Amino acid sequence: MPGWIEGLGDAQTVEESLYELWGAVLHQGTLYDSTAPAMTAIAAALGGRQTADAENTAWLLLMFADAVRDYEQVGLEDPETVALVRSARDSLIGIARLVRPLISGDRPEAAAAALLQAAAYSADSGSHTPDSAARPVDTDALDALSTRAGSRPAGQVEQACVAALIILGADACAALADGDPGLAMAATLSRIANGGNETSDLDALVAGWELAVEVAPNVAFGGDNLPEWLSAVNSGAAAHVLAALPVPDEAAISGLVDVVIGSRSNAAAAVRRLLALAALPGTEPETMIAALRQCPPTPEVCDALVALAEQVTDGGTATIGSSAFDTDARADAAFALLRAGDGRWSRAMAQALLTNPAARGLMVATSVSGRSALGHALIREHAPSATMLVAAILQALRRDPPADPSRDGAGHLVTLLASWPAEAVVGALPQVRELLEIAPKAVADALATWGDTASIDRLREAGGCGDAGALLALARLTMDRNDFHRVLDADLRYTESAVLEHWADHTDPRFLDWCRSLVGTEPAASVYQRGDQLTSLRILAEVDSGAAVTGWPVLRSIIDAGTEPIEDAIRLALDWRAQRILTPEAHTDFEALLADLVVTDRTNYSGPLVKTGVAAAIALLDLGLPLPGTPARVTKLVARAVTDEWARGLGLRLAERLTVAPAPVRRAVVKKLRALVDRDERFDSTGDIAVEDERALARLRPILHDLEAG
């Protein structure tokens, strides 16, 4: 790290040094013990004018300040992280002093130095971090900002100084006295960023939007995309301003979507504007489908998606990182309609599959930033079969494969067909058989699932090369023990789960020996391997109850670690307890372990394992045992799970069970859940944020009502 900091002064090494420093101490906005000291050293080099790329060095410091603010906006729990963020916040004051001399310059780093003064002495109003209140402002900082703000002609540095003064609550009237338009807009943007919603400021922003687009990058880190920045700092202002723009561009439309996914109270106004734009003649349907599919699926939104899909006639491509994917807005619209329970989804999906030459490799948007193979996405949403869709998928499978084999979704589409009843896809069998060489695993599984005994010879030939998927499919069709044994002779990496699921004779000694090898003596490293351990333990115990006693140490270790699949692990232990095949000592140990999981967090590299304590609490209630810990601890478990995209279902289940909890627990949980329901911020999500937030609220409100009534 010292070498990279030194490398900032050399034109030949500065770019690499900045990249390495970002990756080492601020990767994806993460704070480490080394981050604050490194940033302080970087600020010293920048303030001493010893960097070969002052602008990007200043940008790195602004990104650090932004990361500190992001940390302060979330509820930090563990003392180590709280101390880390406090140290980072304190270091910003020293950084501001080090770069303050730059304010007298005229380059972009001078504007950045002004913004760093504001970042050092201000605290976000939504901060949840202890001791995060605004620090007393250094009078030298105010003097430097005021002096430069009054300089003429006014440019980007003066605009940044005015913005910093207003953010810090200082008087900027002297600098604004001559009515310079750029400075006036800088002041307007800063007041709005501070939460202001004065009509005069909002109207000024609408009227001067083009000027604001120029000024925003000078007065706010991230302001180079004004709609995105505006929706992040003041969703109410964003909803008003972006809806009032006479001819919104794609960035403004994205800003309206940001309002929808970021604010419950302002979403309706943003959705109304998006619907109005979708109805305008000449509106680009692909852009509006991408926007509306992220909105709560009201009847009006669904109608608009159907109408927009009818206007799309071909596909396109999307890029995530360095990868490009085949897309079709009709498929995205259909996917959104499917999730909304709107039966019109199948027509739009069939049209995309029938007419798009790239249909075989289509990817569909499953979240604001993620895409999935079309077949897999539809399976996860339990898409129902339809004659029209089967025909459309077969047409897609007839298309020429993409030039890049990794983009060939033939296997994904076959897997989708296999998820439907055999009678619904009987006409697809001949064509699917012909794809065995192209997608052997998916096709073999489909043929076996459909019980297609006519494919036995084809599968035997395919299995001749030792492909585990083809061998397993063959065994499922023949039900011959020798065919099953040939499966165990193949390379079973990543096929173990399918073998465990489909093995016919659970008393087969060779199969049981293989199950014992999967169990081993310690929890496996990966989630899927631990899942295979649990399945193997269940099978072994079904054949010989003594296997539960010998397997309990492994199962206990999986539960104690708290990692996935924690629900399945606890469920297996509950089943064994109910069957009374564990020793009394193991029963007692299990109950004590569950209690410990409730009161003590299990953690990994990213923090507490949220599901673990909640799953353990539900198990204790299933056993008729009281929950350990204080009302505050139980409330923390519920709230943390309800606000976590991966644990929300468990959190809601636990909240439901607490309607019969003691009054102190109910009161504490009600108070916290009421705050979550009434807040403006939406819950995080694994998919489209607004859609899943509305679903969560629909479940949470009646639970809260029952808790309050109890």
Side-chain angles (χ1 to χ4, degrees):
M1 198 180 307
W4 292 328
I5 294 173
E6 183 179 352
L8 295 176
D10 188 331
Q12 300 299 316
T13 59
V14 63
E15 181 178 356
E16 178 185 1
S17 294
L18 285 169
Y19 176 80
E20 296 292 350
L21 285 166
W22 173 81
V25 298
L26 200 61
H27 184 242
Q28 295 183 341
T30 305
L31 298 179
Y32 307 94
D33 291 336
S34 58
T35 306
M39 292 298 159
T40 300
I42 292 168
L46 177 64
R49 296 177 171 83
Q50 297 171 352
T51 61
D53 186 348
E55 180 178 354
N56 282 310
T57 304
W59 176 85
L60 186 63
L61 294 172
L62 283 172
M63 190 164 67
F64 167 60
D66 201 52
V68 174
R69 188 179 69 87
D70 286 345
Y71 268 81
E72 291 176 337
Q73 285 182 316
V74 300
L76 301 177
E77 297 173 351
D78 65 287
E80 290 185 4
T81 305
V82 170
L84 181 67
V85 176
R86 184 182 299 119
S87 173
R89 162 60 66 182
D90 291 341
S91 74
L92 282 171
I93 294 177
I95 288 172
R97 292 195 187 105
L98 288 167
V99 301
R100 195 172 298 152
L102 298 176
I103 294 175
S104 61
D106 293 317
R107 291 177 51 79
E109 61 267 21
L115 297 179
L116 283 166
Q117 309 305 306
Y121 295 103
S122 64
D124 188 83
S125 59
S127 175
H128 301 292
T129 304
D131 303 328
S132 60
R135 274 63 170 172
V137 185
D138 188 332
T139 54
D140 289 342
L142 292 179
D143 289 344
L145 292 170
S146 298
T147 298
R148 185 57 196 266
S151 300
R152 294 297 182 272
Q156 68 175 50
V157 181
E158 289 74 21
Q159 292 169 7
C161 288
V162 165
L165 288 169
I166 289 177
I167 291 171
L168 294 172
D171 185 4
C173 292
L176 298 172
D178 61 356
D180 180 275
L183 297 182
M185 183 56 71
T188 296
L189 290 170
S190 298
R191 286 191 293 268
I192 291 174
N194 270 2
N197 281 297
E198 292 292 331
T199 302
S200 57
D201 280 338
L202 300 182
D203 291 345
L205 182 51
V206 173
W209 183 255
E210 292 185 3
L211 175 61
V213 170
E214 297 177 4
V215 171
N218 303 331
V219 303
F221 180 64
D224 50 328
N225 184 325
L226 180 53
E228 180 181 19
W229 172 81
L230 187 62
S231 63
V233 300
N234 191 328
S235 58
H240 176 92
V241 171
L242 296 176
L245 294 178
V247 186
D249 57 10
E250 192 168 333
I253 292 172
S254 295
L256 286 167
V257 173
D258 288 338
V259 173
V260 172
I261 66 178
S263 169
R264 292 169 178 167
S265 63
N266 294 296
V271 171
R272 284 195 299 271
R273 180 56 171 158
L274 289 170
L275 288 171
L277 293 173
L280 291 176
T283 296
E284 186 176 322
E286 290 83 359
T287 299
M288 297 313 305
I289 287 173
L292 289 176
R293 54 165 289 276
Q294 299 179 60
C295 297
T298 62
E300 295 79 8
V301 168
C302 290
D303 288 345
L305 285 169
V306 171
L308 289 165
E310 291 289 341
Q311 300 175 36
V312 179
T313 58
D314 53 20
T317 58
T319 302
I320 299 177
S322 59
S323 300
F325 306 101
D326 293 312
T327 63
D328 194 304
R330 291 169 292 187
D332 290 338
F335 185 73
L337 292 166
L338 171 63
R339 292 196 306 185
D342 191 314
R344 293 175 290 180
W345 75 275
S346 57
R347 174 177 170 80
M349 185 65 70
Q351 287 296 320
L353 291 168
L354 287 169
T355 63
N356 191 330
R360 182 159 153 171
L362 285 182
M363 302 284 281
V364 67
T366 53
S367 70
V368 66
S369 59
R371 288 189 172 269
S372 172
L374 179 59
H376 286 176
L378 295 180
I379 290 170
R380 284 193 293 270
E381 293 297 323
H382 307 289
S385 62
T387 302
M388 174 173 54
L389 285 172
V390 173
I393 291 172
L394 293 179
Q395 174 64 26
L397 291 172
R398 294 187 188 101
R399 302 282 187 181
D400 292 334
D404 181 356
S406 67
R407 292 170 60 181
D408 188 355
H412 306 150
L413 292 175
V414 170
T415 301
L416 174 61
L417 288 172
S419 72
W420 294 338
E423 59 270 19
V425 296
V426 63
L429 272 172
Q431 186 173 338
V432 171
R433 291 188 193 117
E434 298 303 319
L435 295 170
L436 188 58
E437 292 184 4
I438 296 172
K441 184 177 184 299
V443 171
D445 182 71
L447 296 174
T449 299
W450 295 331
D452 182 33
T453 55
S455 297
I456 287 177
D457 290 341
R458 284 175 176 265
L459 289 172
R460 194 176 296 282
E461 181 180 350
C465 61
D467 181 86
L471 288 170
L472 178 60
L474 173 66
R476 290 168 62 189
L477 290 172
T478 66
M479 299 301 290
D480 184 291
R481 173 175 285 201
N482 291 327
D483 285 335
F484 274 104
H485 285 177
R486 291 188 185 94
V487 174
L488 296 181
D489 294 329
D491 181 358
L492 295 181
R493 282 177 299 178
Y494 311 117
T495 314
E496 298 95 334
S497 300
V499 174
L500 289 168
E501 179 184 357
H502 296 296
W503 197 275
D505 180 9
H506 283 187
T507 65
D508 183 342
R510 187 174 176 195
F511 172 67
L512 294 175
D513 285 342
W514 178 67
C515 287
R516 293 185 190 98
S517 71
L518 291 180
V519 171
T521 59
E522 298 289 340
S526 69
V527 174
Y528 94 87
Q529 288 174 325
R530 290 192 293 273
D532 290 342
Q533 283 182 306
L534 297 177
T535 304
S536 298
L537 284 168
R538 186 181 293 279
I539 291 170
L540 291 168
E542 288 171 353
V543 175
D544 175 12
S545 60
V549 176
T550 58
W552 169 243
V554 174
L555 177 57
R556 188 195 189 283
S557 296
I558 293 174
I559 296 172
D560 190 23
T563 53
E564 294 284 22
I566 185 64
E567 293 175 80
D568 293 338
I570 290 176
R571 189 179 302 113
L572 178 57
L574 288 172
D575 289 346
W576 283 357
R577 187 183 185 281
Q579 298 167 30
R580 300 185 180 278
I581 58 178
L582 291 175
T583 65
E585 293 78 13
H587 289 169
T588 303
D589 182 32
F590 176 49
E591 293 172 9
L593 177 57
L594 291 175
D596 185 62
L597 292 173
V598 171
V599 299
T600 308
D601 285 333
R602 299 300 191 269
T603 61
N604 64 5
Y605 62 90
S606 62
L609 297 168
V610 178
K611 275 189 176 182
T612 305
V614 182
I618 292 172
L620 286 172
L621 294 175
D622 288 341
L623 293 171
L625 299 173
L627 292 183
T630 64
R633 174 62 185 176
V634 175
T635 300
K636 181 178 180 181
L637 284 178
V638 173
R640 195 161 60 185
V642 167
T643 54
D644 183 89
E645 60 265 43
W646 305 106
R648 184 163 300 128
L650 275 178
L652 293 170
R653 281 175 53 197
L654 178 56
E656 286 176 324
R657 300 291 297 275
L658 294 177
T659 54
V660 294
V665 173
R666 288 201 319 274
R667 285 195 296 268
V669 171
V670 162
K671 182 179 179 180
K672 183 62 178 179
L673 291 183
R674 174 56 62 190
L676 293 177
V677 168
D678 292 343
R679 73 179 188 176
D680 193 48
E681 180 186 357
R682 293 193 185 274
F683 294 134
D684 286 338
S685 166
T686 59
D688 288 320
I689 293 173
V691 175
E692 294 192 16
D693 180 73
E694 294 289 333
R695 290 179 180 174
L697 289 178
R699 284 194 61 191
L700 187 54
R701 287 192 177 104
I703 295 172
L704 183 55
H705 176 270
D706 291 343
L707 286 168
E708 290 172 331

